Amino acid sequence: MLLQDVVILHPVEAVCLDTGAFQSLVLKSGAAHAMAQADDLFEEFIVCLSAVEAAWSAGEFDRLASQAAMLAVLSEDLGLAQSAAVARQAAGLIGAGDDVALSAVVARAVRVGEASLASVLEFAYRRI
């Protein structure tokens, strides 16, 4: 096999931020309180995303299940639909006995989660 016959994959997925989630926070509690809530959600999302990756690496499937489910909820609250969908897929695959699929979906959850974080940061940067 020649080197030119090898295809190197660079998985990149487009993510989007539904700003309606933030707008509903503003309507419910005012702009200042909404910013504080969004900051808290954002921090929890980061911690949860890290916990998903750590639980997978440690083989702690019960913790992985709970963190993936929590990541889905936090993603929805932040308006990160793709991240929520992938986190739900990961939570659903735990216990299914397909470690290869679970590995792929956890890797995708981390990849989409990181891209989603970038979209939230971009949105925040543009609002400043």
Side-chain angles (χ1 to χ4, degrees):
M1 179 185 291
L2 300 173
L3 187 57
Q4 69 247 22
D5 295 332
V6 175
V7 176
I8 299 172
L9 301 176
H10 298 283
V12 177
E13 297 185 54
V15 297
C16 64
L17 172 63
D18 175 11
T19 58
F22 179 72
Q23 295 302 326
S24 68
L25 279 177
V26 171
L27 291 175
K28 287 180 191 173
S29 55
H33 191 64
M35 287 301 289
Q37 279 184 304
D39 286 347
D40 290 345
L41 286 171
F42 185 62
E43 185 176 326
E44 287 179 48
F45 179 88
I46 293 167
V47 169
C48 195
L49 183 62
S50 296
V52 164
E53 193 169 21
W56 168 253
S57 295
E60 297 174 0
F61 296 105
D62 289 337
R63 184 168 69 121
L64 178 59
S66 66
Q67 292 300 311
M70 179 59 74
L71 185 62
V73 170
L74 291 169
S75 297
E76 289 171 353
D77 290 346
L78 285 167
L80 304 170
Q82 291 92 341
S83 181
V86 177
R88 279 192 298 275
Q89 287 175 341
L93 279 170
I94 296 168
D98 191 345
D99 291 343
V100 174
L102 180 58
S103 176
V105 173
V106 168
R108 184 171 180 236
V110 171
R111 189 173 60 247
V112 170
E114 289 173 350
S116 296
L117 287 174
S119 72
V120 170
L121 290 172
E122 180 68 22
F123 175 71
Y125 175 75
R126 290 176 187 255
R127 290 188 54 87
I128 294 176

